[in-house]
Amino acid sequence: MDINNTLTIDGAIKEFAPQIEKTSPLGWSWITFLSVLVLFGFYGLYTQIAEGHIVTGMRDNVVWGIYIVNFIFFMGVSYAGALISGTLHLFRSEWRKPVIRMAEWITIISLLIGPLYILLCIGRLDKLHNIALFGRIQSPITWDVIAISTDIVGCIIFLYMALLRDFAHLRDYPELKVPKWKKKLYYYFALKYHDTPEQRKKLNRTVDIMAAMVIAIAIIVYSVLAWIFSVTLQPGWHSTIFGPYFVIAAVYSGTAVLIVSMYLFRKVYKLEHVITELHFKNMGIILLVLGAFFGYFTFSEYLTKWYGSQKNDELLISILFDKYYWEFVISNYIGVLLPLIIIGIPKFRTIKSITFTSLVVILALWLNRYLIVVPTLESPYLPIQDSRSAWVDYGGTWVEWSLTLGGIAGFLLLFTLASKLVPIVQLSALVKKDKSEENRKSE
Amino acid sequence: MKTKIFFIIASLLLPFGMKLAASEPYSLSFYLEYRKLAEGERKISATAKYKPDRFWEVIQGMKVEFYYLNEEGDEVLLADGITDEKGTASILIDPEYPLYRNEEGLIEFVARTEETEKYELAEEWLSIRDIYLEMKLIEDGDERTIELHAEVLDENGELVPLSDEDIYFSVPRMFSKLPLGEETLEDGFCSITFPANIVGNAEREVTILAEIFEHYEFGTVQASKVSTWGKLGSPHLIEHPSRELWTPVAPLWMIITLIVLLVGVWGHYIYAIVQLVLIRKAGTRFEREQQV
């Protein structure tokens, strides 16, 4: 049964309240498991702080490694969440309602996790404030710092506004069995919202504006991130299409993360009647189109470099097809072709196959970022004298992997906790005119 | 469904797996370079390339063994090296290391690669006649002259002056060598005037290099000395720096664009926050009305 637009608000809260009221033993185990992984990440961080960056694989040539790859990946996922939720909101797509909250959480949580990886790259964190004091606005790094902080604030405002109605509904539902602190939190965060015509009008107009803003900011911010690479003359980075290429890759990976989230929450919270096959098919089609664009940009990027036959570009391409052969194949062949085949052919288009494809896309896009960052730094224009092979060739160490694992676990943990704070499905979007609510107001 | 997905993935991987199929070993382009450094060390470099398609590509990680020939004509292993990302493996021979010179006064070197499944064995010979360069720096008032004396070891093992060879004088800089000029040896001697406008380091030091380049018999031979003839560099101070990407002050268009963008975006944020405050006020009003 599709419950979209068939519930009253009280019915909807009753339906989704168990998610936030109690946590099953399996849920606690999951939270404990993720917390252990996060702690493992912290141990890696302690090792790095105590012993210095020598414990990472980063050296003279490859000064950026897995941390930057994770940063780009998480930022990409966040921009995708913003673009998807903003676009679906503005287009008033009816089918979006059960998945839009997930997209919004993905945006915020990735935005909180991603920038931490930049901090892990910096050797002298005590000098970080100098970016604010002496930052030159000609530097794309400065643009990025400004852009990311602007984006975080914008996305938090957008998410908060999207949550406001649900906070109000949860505040006004007397039978909700949640701790006192949570009730207080609902009360304060609801901002005395009672869905009066005046409040509704103000909120709708502001959410529309913020939806448009987060789309624009997401595009600008991810382009700025791409420009950090493309304004340098490094082989593989100096490209005019890097901005749009990064944006497409970001939305592509973010869509895949959203589909996997939909699958997991659907299973765990038994939301089969809310998140239906239609949602997977629609998201699958979006994934397919983005995959085609991503493939087009990738092909265009490497074809022009290959035909240009510049010495360093050739060296880079030979490294990609030799040392990073399988990573390149998974990233740029399988990551593009698999969605085209599995989602492109209606017969194969099922919930499981779309989710499986999304998992492959997530892996492919992480590898894509790795291939953008590491092989380029391994083939510099200016050879460093007496460079040992260990200084040129990069490989992540256990410290970097522990922090990567910790970051992923942190993302999943925050996502899980977020679903315990408010229902993972936007209650207010699911209901039609709520008579009980209207009656309560008129009493 | 699982089977279908498996076949799709398998069919996607199949063409790439075919790359692993065995093929004929490639023949190599393999050549040696000899360089006698200013400190007297000899550096021998071997570069290996192969041609998988239309272009030559360097081979990285290949083992190369370097030998010299002794008086019996046997190969004596000097050392081995592994080719780097440029396909080059190098060894350094100490100036005191005893190398045999044949009856013509030549030192003979051999370098050889390993035969593998992918590459054929490659071998290259090199015969070098030893020469000695000595640089002298003469200062006479404002006139500074670099003198170079060159001698070659003839077939009788005697040092004789070298003539009719070109000597290139330069000053090594960060990215390349700054040429000072080119002179031809006459009776083992040539000289060049050092220009007055070469910038040195904080102690006015400048390294001067004299070289014979890639000679068929001598290879590349260098002599160098550090002089204190450099000019003191002065910081490039500009009272009012122009607005460029590389100056402390940013171009105006950049500042204006950034301000417009930030004001536009943060203006909307402030608007949204003001709306939230108004929503709260409207709520308070609504609650008061309800109580009445």
Side-chain angles (χ1 to χ4, degrees):
Chain A
M1 179 187 72
D2 183 352
I3 68 160
N4 296 350
N5 293 331
T6 60
L7 277 180
T8 62
I9 192 66
D10 285 354
I13 296 176
K14 203 174 277 176
E15 170 83 25
F16 295 104
Q19 288 176 25
I20 51 174
E21 283 178 338
K22 56 190 171 193
T23 306
S24 66
L26 194 67
W28 280 116
S29 309
W30 171 242
I31 290 171
T32 311
F33 170 68
L34 292 175
S35 305
V36 168
L37 289 181
V38 172
L39 285 176
F40 178 52
F42 273 110
Y43 177 65
L45 178 63
Y46 165 76
T47 310
Q48 182 172 306
I49 292 171
E51 296 179 32
H53 275 61
I54 193 70
V55 296
T56 70
M58 294 182 282
R59 293 291 183 271
D60 294 34
N61 281 33
V62 185
V63 290
W64 285 350
I66 294 173
Y67 292 154
I68 287 287
V69 175
N70 292 336
F71 165 67
I72 304 171
F73 184 79
F74 276 113
M75 295 312 284
V77 168
S78 91
Y79 300 143
L83 276 173
I84 293 164
S85 56
T87 313
L88 294 182
H89 176 87
L90 285 181
F91 282 108
R92 307 276 188 264
S93 313
E94 277 303 305
W95 64 270
R96 83 187 193 277
K97 291 173 179 172
V99 300
I100 202 161
R101 172 70 45 81
M102 286 180 215
E104 288 158 0
W105 277 123
I106 285 173
T107 306
I108 292 294
I109 297 167
S110 316
L111 266 177
L112 295 177
I113 303 268
L116 296 179
Y117 283 103
I118 281 285
L119 302 181
L120 296 177
C121 280
I122 298 170
R124 294 291 304 269
L125 277 174
D126 55 313
K127 305 257 180 195
L128 192 64
H129 60 282
N130 286 335
I131 291 182
L133 294 177
F134 308 109
R136 297 173 68 242
I137 69 160
Q138 295 101 314
S139 164
I141 302 275
T142 312
W143 308 345
D144 208 32
V145 172
I146 296 170
I148 289 174
S149 27
T150 304
D151 192 40
I152 290 176
V153 174
C155 287
I156 288 174
I157 296 173
F158 180 59
L159 175 73
Y160 178 64
M161 291 187 147
L163 283 168
L164 190 61
R165 282 193 176 95
D166 281 5
F167 280 135
H169 290 315
L170 292 167
R171 174 200 62 195
D172 295 341
Y173 188 70
E175 290 153 39
L176 197 65
K177 296 182 194 73
V178 292
K180 270 187 181 172
W181 68 265
K182 236 184 211 182
K183 284 194 172 170
K184 270 189 180 173
L185 190 133
Y186 294 149
Y187 175 79
Y188 285 113
F189 279 9
L191 281 186
K192 300 192 176 183
Y193 185 83
H194 292 282
D195 204 25
T196 62
E198 184 190 353
Q199 285 180 319
R200 198 182 311 142
K201 191 180 164 192
K202 281 191 192 321
L203 187 61
N204 286 344
R205 190 174 52 204
T206 318
V207 170
D208 282 352
I209 290 171
M210 286 308 295
M213 289 306 294
V214 293
I215 294 171
I217 295 165
I219 292 172
I220 292 171
V221 175
Y222 215 56
S223 299
V224 166
L225 185 56
W227 293 335
I228 288 182
F229 293 91
S230 63
V231 295
T232 67
L233 290 174
Q234 291 275 17
W237 292 357
H238 190 53
S239 160
T240 53
I241 63 164
F242 242 39
Y245 182 39
F246 261 53
V247 172
I248 286 293
V251 190
Y252 190 34
S253 58
T255 307
V257 171
L258 180 57
I259 292 173
V260 175
S261 313
M262 282 161 54
Y263 182 83
L264 291 176
F265 280 119
R266 183 177 188 265
K267 277 272 168 204
V268 173
Y269 291 139
K270 306 199 184 327
L271 299 175
E272 286 84 354
H273 55 302
V274 182
I275 304 171
T276 62
E277 195 171 4
L278 174 80
H279 295 102
F280 281 89
K281 285 187 173 170
N282 286 350
M283 289 306 297
I285 298 292
I286 293 175
L287 193 75
L288 170 74
V289 174
L290 290 167
F293 271 112
F294 174 73
Y296 163 69
F297 273 104
T298 306
F299 185 72
S300 172
E301 178 70 10
Y302 286 110
L303 183 83
T304 47
K305 279 190 173 41
W306 183 58
Y307 255 76
S309 294
Q310 279 189 22
K311 190 182 154 197
N312 282 64
D313 283 340
E314 275 196 355
L315 177 64
L316 177 68
I317 289 171
S318 69
I319 289 176
L320 289 174
F321 276 96
D322 186 13
K323 186 178 172 186
Y324 294 104
Y325 180 74
W326 285 110
E327 290 89 336
F328 192 82
V329 166
I330 294 170
S331 164
N332 296 322
Y333 285 79
I334 296 175
V336 172
L337 295 177
L338 197 67
L340 291 181
I341 295 167
I342 289 189
I343 303 171
I345 300 170
K347 207 173 155 189
F348 296 148
R349 216 180 287 156
T350 63
I351 293 176
K352 278 186 179 168
S353 69
I354 292 171
T355 309
F356 170 75
T357 309
S358 301
L359 278 171
V360 175
V361 168
I362 292 169
L363 173 69
L365 269 285
W366 191 90
L367 288 173
N368 173 267
R369 277 58 180 268
Y370 189 91
L371 294 179
I372 286 173
V373 174
V374 174
T376 287
L377 292 172
E378 285 181 339
S379 49
Y381 272 122
L382 293 173
I384 296 175
Q385 285 174 353
D386 303 325
S387 244
R388 299 173 197 171
S389 123
W391 294 358
V392 179
D393 297 325
Y394 173 77
T397 61
W398 77 265
V399 173
E400 288 165 287
W401 287 116
S402 71
L403 281 159
T404 303
L405 210 60
I408 296 168
F411 175 84
L412 295 172
L413 183 63
L414 288 176
F415 214 162
T416 308
L417 295 178
S419 73
K420 296 284 164 198
L421 182 68
V422 283
I424 201 66
V425 173
Q426 199 173 349
L427 299 174
S428 49
L430 284 183
V431 295
K432 270 191 168 177
K433 198 83 176 170
D434 188 341
K435 295 291 176 198
S436 63
E437 191 80 355
E438 290 291 314
N439 294 340
R440 205 179 296 154
K441 279 191 181 64
S442 58
E443 278 167 12
Chain B
M1 173 51 66
K2 281 178 189 166
T3 320
K4 282 174 187 166
I5 292 173
F6 171 78
F7 277 115
I8 289 165
I9 295 167
S11 58
L12 281 171
L13 293 177
L14 192 64
F16 309 117
M18 286 164 70
K19 189 200 175 203
L20 301 174
S23 56
E24 287 290 306
Y26 294 103
S27 59
L28 303 186
S29 151
F30 188 62
Y31 55 89
L32 294 183
E33 280 179 278
Y34 172 88
R35 184 178 289 262
K36 191 174 182 186
L37 306 176
E39 295 79 17
E41 289 171 317
R42 301 166 204 273
K43 184 178 182 183
I44 307 178
S45 305
T47 303
K49 291 181 181 177
Y50 76 119
K51 202 174 184 182
D53 191 7
R54 293 181 297 148
F55 303 106
W56 287 101
E57 286 183 16
V58 298
I59 304 169
Q60 191 176 357
M62 173 176 268
K63 187 179 172 189
V64 180
E65 289 180 334
F66 296 89
Y67 303 88
Y68 77 95
L69 296 191
N70 65 13
E71 50 198 304
E72 279 87 34
D74 296 332
E75 292 175 357
V76 179
L77 182 69
L78 286 164
D80 54 45
I82 304 291
T83 54
D84 59 13
E85 75 280 358
K86 290 178 185 163
T88 302
S90 303
I91 61 163
L92 273 179
I93 306 171
D94 192 88
E96 305 302 321
Y97 190 88
L99 293 167
Y100 171 72
R101 292 181 180 81
N102 66 16
E103 60 276 10
E104 292 168 27
L106 299 172
I107 307 170
E108 290 174 288
F109 296 102
V110 184
R112 191 173 293 121
T113 66
E114 276 184 329
E115 187 174 5
T116 64
E117 280 183 17
K118 192 173 178 186
Y119 306 112
E120 287 178 357
L121 181 143
E123 181 179 86
E124 188 68 10
W125 293 63
L126 192 67
S127 299
I128 291 294
R129 185 176 297 284
D130 226 0
I131 64 166
Y132 298 89
L133 302 183
E134 193 192 353
M135 187 188 288
K136 285 182 182 168
L137 306 178
I138 311 293
E139 195 167 2
D140 183 13
D142 287 344
E143 183 81 10
R144 287 149 175 178
T145 311
I146 308 160
E147 285 185 3
L148 192 85
H149 299 266
E151 289 178 311
V152 61
L153 213 56
D154 70 2
E155 46 272 16
N156 303 320
E158 289 176 8
L159 284 172
V160 292
L162 184 66
S163 293
D164 300 328
E165 299 295 346
D166 291 331
I167 302 287
Y168 299 89
F169 293 91
S170 62
V171 171
R173 292 305 201 199
M174 186 180 282
F175 297 116
S176 61
K177 293 169 191 165
L178 176 68
L180 296 181
E182 181 185 334
E183 294 294 328
T184 306
L185 285 168
E186 277 177 41
D187 202 21
F189 176 79
C190 70
S191 67
I192 190 168
T193 305
F194 185 82
N197 58 353
I198 302 287
V199 177
N201 64 12
E203 277 81 42
R204 309 176 80 117
E205 288 174 343
V206 173
T207 303
I208 300 168
L209 190 66
E211 286 176 292
I212 289 181
F213 271 127
E214 296 178 359
H215 191 278
Y216 72 98
E217 207 175 5
F218 313 136
T220 297
V221 185
Q222 299 177 331
S224 81
K225 270 217 165 138
V226 178
S227 75
T228 50
W229 293 348
K231 212 174 78 171
L232 265 185
S234 57
H236 196 60
L237 290 175
I238 300 170
E239 222 165 281
H240 300 291
S242 60
R243 293 182 174 276
E244 309 288 353
L245 283 179
W246 52 89
T247 54
V249 281
L252 266 181
W253 71 263
M254 195 173 262
I255 296 171
I256 292 168
T257 308
L258 195 70
I259 289 172
V260 168
L261 277 174
L262 286 177
V263 167
V265 173
W266 282 89
H268 282 87
Y269 289 179
I270 291 166
Y271 172 80
I273 292 165
V274 168
Q275 292 304 307
L276 284 173
V277 173
L278 293 177
I279 285 171
R280 194 174 189 282
K281 275 189 178 168
T284 312
R285 227 172 20 246
F286 175 78
E287 283 176 2
R288 211 177 293 137
E289 284 165 16
Q290 290 293 303
Q291 281 169 0
V292 173

